[in-house]
Amino acid sequence: EHAVYVRGRVKNITEIILPDYWKDLVDENTMTVNLTPIGVHQDVIVKEWSLKSIQLQSKDEIPIDCFYTVHGERKDIPSLVIEQDEAVD
């Protein structure tokens, strides 16, 4: 796919702010978020997302400290079509 990504770290905040160009470049329905907690298990989840930001939540209000990667497919160009092998009988 033609993908775009951002990555970084959030510490003691519950929001990942996406770059300004993200809204014009990414199809919101293709976004995925990967979170890697640092130090302790935090049960961090994505609570809400948009093309501007991603809201995070942790269990029992544990301070969030994690690395993140956000991927999305570009919407300004046609989707990449992958050739598939024909099934062999």
Side-chain angles (χ1 to χ4, degrees), residues 1-78:
E1 69 183 358
H2 299 292
V4 180
Y5 72 92
V6 294
R7 63 183 178 188
R9 181 178 182 176
V10 290
K11 188 171 184 177
N12 298 321
I13 58 174
T14 60
E15 183 177 41
I16 299 169
I17 304 293
L18 297 169
D20 289 337
Y21 62 80
W22 193 264
K23 68 183 184 320
D24 297 322
L25 195 59
V26 173
D27 177 351
E28 184 175 12
N29 296 317
T30 66
M31 290 173 53
T32 59
V33 181
N34 296 301
L35 303 169
T36 305
I38 300 168
V40 297
H41 188 58
Q42 301 162 36
D43 289 328
V44 181
I45 64 164
V46 173
K47 186 174 179 182
E48 296 178 14
W49 73 94
S50 71
L51 290 170
K52 293 183 179 184
S53 67
I54 297 164
Q55 303 299 317
L56 306 175
Q57 180 179 321
S58 63
K59 185 176 183 179
D60 299 326
E61 304 301 319
I62 295 172
I64 295 173
D65 186 7
C66 67
F67 296 116
Y68 67 85
T69 307
V70 182
H71 287 91
E73 186 176 343
R74 291 180 61 156
K75 67 180 179 182
D76 62 332
I77 56 178

